Amino acid sequence: MRTIIILCLALLVALSFGCSKKKEEPPKTESVQEEMSKAGAISPTFDMVTREEVDIATAAYSYEYNGVIYYFSSAENMELFKADPVKYLTPPDSTATPAQ
């Protein structure tokens, strides 16, 4: 019985040390850090077509327009944006009245 108690205490101590370690992220390359910095300052971190979040560190599709890098979740969205960027950058006119 004493052995079981000692083993349980040892396990408890081992688990408490294992759980307290902070999971470290892999170091980001300089280019990824630069892109992330740009995104935080200038570029949106969401797909301009669908308005869904895009992880710029892993985004496969990007397009630069007027000095701003835009990231997309798919090639189709990127092509739609390229065809008419103003359509996706212009906010909807909130003062317009619906047609009657």
Side-chain angles (χ1 to χ4, degrees):
M1 182 70 172
R2 183 176 171 180
T3 306
I4 293 173
I5 293 174
I6 292 173
L7 287 175
C8 288
L9 287 175
L11 181 61
L12 181 64
V13 170
L15 286 175
S16 67
F17 281 112
C19 293
S20 67
K21 288 186 180 178
K22 199 175 189 182
K23 184 178 178 186
E24 294 182 25
E25 291 184 25
K28 294 179 173 61
T29 63
E30 188 174 309
S31 62
V32 170
Q33 287 175 340
E34 182 179 328
E35 289 299 315
M36 291 177 78
S37 173
K38 285 181 188 176
I42 301 171
S43 300
T45 58
F46 57 90
D47 186 316
M48 293 300 291
V49 176
T50 61
R51 302 288 194 214
E52 63 186 49
E53 288 288 323
V54 177
D55 181 0
I56 66 170
T58 60
Y61 308 100
S62 64
Y63 176 69
E64 185 173 343
Y65 176 75
N66 285 345
V68 178
I69 300 172
Y70 296 93
Y71 298 90
F72 302 93
S73 57
S74 71
E76 180 182 11
N77 290 352
M78 182 177 68
E79 293 305 321
L80 287 169
F81 181 82
K82 282 182 178 182
D84 191 4
V86 175
K87 174 181 176 182
Y88 299 103
L89 296 175
T90 307
D93 186 7
S94 60
T95 61
T97 56
Q100 298 198 1

